[in-house]
Amino acid sequence: MGPRIGPIGEELQVPDKDTKAMVGTEDTPGGKARPNPQDLRPSVFHSIKFFVLCHSLLQLAQLMISGYLKSSISTVEKRFGLSSQTSGLLAAFNEVGNTALIVFVSYFGSRVHRPRLIGYGAILVTLAGVLMTVPHFISEPYHYDHTSPDMPQDFEASLCLPTTEAPASAPAPSNSSCSGYTEVQHLAVVGIMFTAQTLLGVGGVPIQPFGISYIDDFAHHSNSPLYLGILFAVTMMGPGMAYGLGSLMLRLYVDIDRMPEGGISLTSKDPRWVGAWWLGFLISAGTVALAAIPYFFFPKEMPKEKHELRFRRKVLAVSDPPVSKGEDASSERSPGESPEKKDGLAQIAPDLTVIQFIKVFPRVMLRTLRHPIFLLVVLSQVCMSSMVAGMATFLPKFLERQFSVTASYANLLIGCLTIPLAIVGIVVGGILVKRLRLGPMHCGTLCLLGALFCLLLSTPLFFMGCSTHQIAGINHQPGGQPGLELFPGCTEACSCPSDDFNPVCDSSARVEYLTPCHAGCASRVVHEAPDKSQVFYTNCSCVVGGGPVPAGSCDSACSHLVLPFMILVSLGAALASVTHTPSFMLILRGVKKEDKTLAVGIQFMLLRVLAWMPSPVIHGSAIDTTCVYWAQSCGRRAVCHYYDHDLLRNRFIGLQFFFKTGSLACFALILAILRQQDKEEGTKATIPNSGLQQQLLASGAKKEPEESRV
C-alpha cells in the first residue's frame, strides 16, 4: 500500500514513488520544503535500516507491556478480589479497542504521516501503561488479613481466644469496611483498569501495520523480506521479556513504596503474598516512551533504498539455484507493478471516502470468506489462537495452584521455556517452507502433522497432577455454592472470624486450616533467620501434639512434576508454532492476488474477535467452576482461595485439547480439499492437451499453402 503521489512538474506527469522520494517536496519534520537530497548530508532518519532498528525496539516494548498483565493476572486477582472470569475479561479488553479500529488502517494508510502516527500510538500506549498503575496509588495499603489498621497484622485476630478475651475490634473491620465509599472505590479501580486496557489496544493499532508498510515502501525490494524477518524475530521476544519482568517484579512486596512499620511476616510462598505488579507497568511504559521518540523525526517519505545488502547477495549466490532471465524479469517487475494491475481494495481505498469504504468492505469480506481454503485456515488459526490466548493468560495461575510454585517461578518457567521454544517453532516452520519450496499441498501436510503431534503431546498432561489436599471444614464436592462445614469440636471455645484467611499447615497429617484459630492455636512464635523469618503457631488443640505448625499452605505432593509438565507444554507450543508460516502461505496462495492484503487484514480481525477476545473469558469461567471456597467481600464473591485440583486440571487441559482437536480437524479438511482440487486440475489438463495436439496438426497443414502464397 504505497503512498499516492501527485505530479511534480510538466515533464513528470506520472512519477513513481521512487522519483517522488528523491526529488519530492514533502514536508520534513521541520515543516519546510526539502531540496535535492544530493545537496544534503545523509541523515540517520532517512535510513530505512535505522527505521527497522527503531521499529523492532518499539514493537518489542509494545508486546512487553501488552503481555505483562498476563504474567501478573493471579496477583491482580488477589489484590483487588477479582474472579478468574473478570480477570480474563480484563485481559481480553486489550483487543476491544484494537479490533474496533484496525479495519480503518487500510483506509488511512496512505493518507497520513505514518511515522508520526506510530509515535502518537506509542505515546497512547505509554499513558495506558501509567493508567494501569493508578489503582495501586489510590487504594489503601494491602492488608493480608482482616485486622484493623491500628493492630499488628497477622497476630491476635487470627489466634484462638475465648469469646470473653477476643478483641472487640476483630470482627468489626469486615463490617465497617463495607461502606458505600469502599464499594465505589472498588468499582473505580476496576473501571480504571478496563479503560487502560482498552487504550492499550487503541494505541497499538497503528504501530505494526504502518511500520510494515513503511519498511516495504522504502526498502529495496530484495531487502524487504530480510528486514521484516528481523523485525518479527526481535518482536517475538516481547512476550518472553514480559514474563521475565513479571518474574522479577512479583518477588517484591506490593507495597514496597509504603512498607508498614516493622516490616511484614510474609514470604513469596504464602498464598496471601501479593507482588509489586504495578512496577512492571511503569518500567514497560517508560521503555515504550523512549522507543517512541525517534518516530517524530522520521520523514513522511524517505529515499527508496537503492542497493541490495552485500551479504545477502553472497548468501543468495551460494544457496539459491540460478534463475532464468524470464523469471528474473518477472521478479524485478512485480514490486513496481503498474497501478492499473492492482485493483484490490488496498489500491482503491485511497480513492474512497470513509462511507464508501465502509460500504465496500463487507462485500469484499464476504467474497473472501466464501473461499473454502481461506475459511478453514482461519478457523484452524482461531482454534490455535484460542488455545494460546487461554494458556498465556492462565498458565501461570494454573502452575501456582496445581504444583504449589510461586508466581515468580511460574513466570520464569514460561519466559525461559515455552516462549523461546514457540519462537523456534515459528522459525523452523518458515525455514521448511523456504528451503523445501513447499507448495499448498505440502504446506497443508506440514500443518496437519504439527497439529497432530501437538495434540498427542497434550494427552499426558491430564495425568500430571494430584488431588487437593485435605482442608479442614471445606466441602470438596464441586457444584452449587461450596462453603464451610462444621468444624471439629476442638475450636468450640474459640471465637474465629468467618472471613479471615491466614492458612496454616499440619504437615504430619497433611491437613490445612483456614486460620490458626481454626486449628485451635493459642500462641505465635517467630523464628528469625538472616535471609527470612518463619512464623509458627503453637498450643494448637486441633493438631496432634499441639504443634508447632508453620504459617502458609501445604505444599503440593506433586510439585516435582512441574518441570516435566512444562517441557511437554513447551514442546507442544513449538509444534503448534510450526504451523504458523505454512498456514499463512495457504492464505496468500489461496486467494486472488488483488485480495491478498485484505485477506490478511480479515484474518487478523477474525482472530481477535473469535479467539483473543473470548478465549480468556472462556478459560476464566471454566476455572471459576472448579472453585470450592470463595472469599467474600462486602457480601459479594471475591477471589477464590481453594480449587478442586483434579477438576481444575481436567477442565483447563480439556479446553486446550478441544481447541487443538478443532485445529487438527480443519487442517485435515484443508488437505482433503487440496487433494480434490489437484485431481480436478489433473483431469482438466489431460482433456485440453489431446484436443490441442489435434488443433496444432490441423493448423500446421493449413499453414503450408498460406506460406507458399506469400
Side-chain angles (χ1 to χ4, degrees):
M1 223 167 26
R4 296 173 67 246
I5 311 299
I8 298 170
E10 292 183 0
E11 69 265 17
L12 297 175
Q13 293 299 326
V14 189
D16 60 9
K17 60 186 177 185
D18 297 20
T19 309
K20 175 68 181 177
M22 294 302 298
V23 297
T25 56
E26 279 296 327
D27 291 342
T28 60
K32 297 180 180 180
R34 187 174 67 218
N36 197 328
Q38 281 82 356
D39 300 332
L40 295 175
R41 293 181 180 177
S43 169
V44 69
F45 293 106
H46 287 74
S47 169
I48 194 65
K49 296 182 182 68
F50 185 64
F51 184 87
V52 172
L53 173 64
C54 292
H55 205 62
S56 299
L57 296 177
L58 177 61
Q59 285 198 187
L60 176 71
Q62 186 224 348
L63 277 185
M64 185 168 71
I65 195 171
S66 299
Y68 179 75
L69 178 65
K70 295 177 176 63
S71 71
S72 53
I73 200 81
S74 62
T75 301
V76 173
E77 285 180 13
K78 280 190 281 188
R79 179 65 182 91
F80 299 108
L82 305 178
S83 65
S84 294
Q85 185 183 39
T86 305
S87 63
L89 185 62
L90 178 63
F93 249 67
N94 184 18
E95 306 295 337
V96 172
N98 198 300
T99 306
L101 298 176
I102 195 69
V103 175
F104 294 97
V105 169
S106 57
Y107 175 74
F108 290 109
S110 58
R111 299 179 179 222
V112 296
H113 193 303
R114 284 175 287 182
R116 225 173 266 172
L117 203 64
I118 291 172
Y120 292 141
I123 295 299
L124 187 58
V125 169
T126 301
L127 294 176
V130 173
L131 187 62
M132 275 296 293
T133 67
V134 170
H136 167 75
F137 295 103
I138 66 174
S139 301
E140 295 180 357
Y142 173 60
H143 293 283
Y144 45 81
D145 60 8
H146 290 271
T147 58
S148 57
D150 57 342
M151 289 180 61
Q153 292 197 48
D154 200 24
F155 188 40
E156 289 188 358
S158 294
L159 295 179
C160 175
L161 299 174
T163 307
T164 55
E165 297 180 20
S169 58
S174 60
N175 299 324
S176 62
S177 64
C178 293
S179 62
Y181 172 76
T182 306
E183 282 298 287
V184 168
Q185 187 185 42
H186 174 77
L187 292 175
V189 162
V190 175
I192 288 172
M193 288 193 291
F194 273 94
T195 303
Q197 281 293 101
T198 305
L199 293 178
L200 200 62
V202 172
V205 167
I207 293 178
Q208 186 174 18
F210 285 162
I212 292 174
S213 65
Y214 194 82
I215 292 170
D216 193 52
D217 281 349
F218 301 114
H220 190 279
H221 72 271
S222 298
N223 296 338
S224 180
L226 176 65
Y227 291 153
L228 294 179
I230 293 171
L231 176 67
F232 292 139
V234 175
T235 300
M236 284 188 296
M237 294 190 291
M241 292 185 67
Y243 284 105
L245 182 64
S247 176
L248 291 175
M249 295 301 105
L250 297 184
R251 294 179 185 178
L252 307 174
Y253 186 61
V254 61
D255 289 324
I256 192 172
D257 57 329
R258 46 185 179 182
M259 290 287 284
E261 293 183 8
I264 57 172
S265 58
L266 286 182
T267 65
S268 59
K269 286 187 69 67
D270 195 296
R272 297 170 296 164
W273 173 270
V274 172
W277 62 273
W278 55 275
L279 198 54
F281 279 109
L282 280 183
I283 294 173
S284 302
T287 307
V288 174
L290 289 175
I293 294 173
Y295 286 89
F296 296 99
F297 299 96
F298 283 108
K300 184 177 181 181
E301 298 171 7
M302 65 169 62
K304 187 173 178 70
E305 197 176 32
K306 287 185 174 182
H307 304 292
E308 188 178 1
L309 295 177
R310 292 181 181 177
F311 78 92
R312 177 179 167 80
R313 285 203 299 266
K314 293 178 181 177
V315 170
L316 289 176
V318 173
S319 60
D320 285 358
V323 182
S324 65
K325 291 182 179 180
E327 291 176 353
D328 185 60
S330 64
S331 64
E332 288 291 334
R333 196 164 47 242
S334 60
E337 200 172 40
S338 60
E340 290 79 12
K341 293 187 180 179
K342 296 182 180 179
D343 55 352
L345 185 64
Q347 183 66 22
I348 65 174
D351 299 321
L352 301 176
T353 64
V354 177
I355 303 300
Q356 290 172 335
F357 179 81
I358 293 174
K359 289 180 179 177
V360 169
F361 178 76
R363 188 166 66 249
V364 182
M365 180 178 174
L366 288 174
R367 185 181 72 190
T368 309
L369 288 176
R370 286 195 192 103
H371 197 289
I373 297 294
F374 175 81
L375 188 60
L376 285 170
V377 171
V378 169
L379 286 177
S380 68
Q381 290 183 339
V382 163
C383 291
M384 280 291 185
S385 297
S386 298
M387 180 265 294
V388 172
M391 185 161 282
T393 307
F394 289 109
L395 183 59
K397 177 174 182 173
F398 178 84
L399 296 178
E400 291 174 48
R401 298 292 182 172
Q402 193 71 222
F403 301 107
S404 299
V405 299
T406 64
S408 174
Y409 184 59
N411 284 318
L412 186 66
L413 288 174
I414 297 171
C416 292
L417 272 178
T418 311
I419 302 295
L421 281 177
I423 294 173
V424 169
I426 294 175
V427 173
V428 169
I431 291 174
L432 289 175
V433 172
K434 168 71 176 173
R435 293 299 177 194
L436 301 180
R437 301 180 181 274
L438 300 181
M441 178 70 73
H442 292 99
C443 282
T445 305
L446 181 59
C447 290
L448 184 69
L449 291 175
L452 176 62
F453 285 112
C454 176
L455 186 68
L456 293 177
L457 279 176
S458 65
T459 306
L461 301 180
F462 285 102
F463 311 101
M464 299 180 71
C466 48
S467 303
T468 308
H469 52 267
Q470 186 179 355
I471 304 162
I474 301 297
N475 179 14
H476 283 267
Q477 294 180 357
Q481 176 65 32
L484 294 172
E485 291 178 337
L486 292 176
F487 283 91
C490 57
T491 59
E492 286 180 354
C494 306
S495 176
C496 299
S498 60
D499 58 350
D500 197 4
F501 182 65
N502 178 19
V504 294
C505 176
D506 179 7
S507 54
S508 60
R510 286 198 56 77
V511 177
E512 186 170 325
Y513 299 88
L514 287 175
T515 66
C517 180
H518 292 106
C521 302
S523 56
R524 172 179 179 266
V525 178
V526 180
H527 289 182
E528 297 291 345
D531 52 345
K532 62 180 180 180
S533 58
Q534 177 69 47
V535 178
F536 291 91
Y537 293 92
T538 56
N539 300 326
C540 304
S541 57
C542 299
V543 177
V544 177
V549 292
S553 293
C554 297
D555 287 336
S556 171
C558 50
S559 56
H560 60 283
L561 293 177
V562 64
L563 276 178
F565 182 91
M566 283 304 299
I567 289 172
L568 284 179
V569 167
S570 302
L571 289 175
L575 288 169
S577 301
V578 168
T579 67
H580 180 268
T581 302
S583 63
F584 194 73
M585 296 307 297
L586 284 173
I587 288 179
L588 293 179
R589 295 173 183 176
V591 298
K592 294 181 179 180
K593 186 176 181 180
E594 62 268 19
D595 290 340
K596 283 184 180 180
T597 303
L598 187 67
V600 174
I602 293 172
Q603 173 202 12
F604 284 116
M605 186 184 72
L606 291 176
L607 289 182
R608 285 185 171 94
V609 173
L610 300 179
W612 291 98
M613 286 172 62
S615 179
V617 183
I618 293 170
H619 281 78
S621 301
I623 290 172
D624 283 342
T625 61
T626 66
C627 183
V628 295
Y629 179 62
W630 290 94
Q632 299 293 320
S633 175
C634 301
R636 65 173 177 83
R637 198 173 72 174
V639 67
C640 179
H641 284 318
Y642 293 109
Y643 293 92
D644 183 328
H645 288 179
D646 289 333
L647 202 58
L648 173 64
R649 183 175 63 256
N650 290 334
R651 291 190 178 172
F652 184 75
I653 303 301
L655 265 177
Q656 300 283 305
F657 196 87
F658 170 77
F659 288 124
K660 292 174 184 177
T661 305
S663 180
L664 180 66
C666 288
F667 284 131
L669 288 174
I670 290 169
L671 205 58
I673 292 174
L674 288 173
R675 284 182 176 173
Q676 184 64 29
Q677 289 178 352
D678 278 358
K679 288 180 181 178
E680 291 176 359
E681 288 177 2
T683 54
K684 286 179 181 179
T686 54
I687 295 172
N689 282 341
S690 59
L692 183 62
Q693 290 175 358
Q694 294 176 0
Q695 289 177 5
L696 288 174
L697 291 173
S699 63
K702 291 178 181 178
K703 276 184 181 181
E704 288 182 1
E706 291 177 1
E707 289 172 359
S708 62
R709 281 199 302 268
V710 174

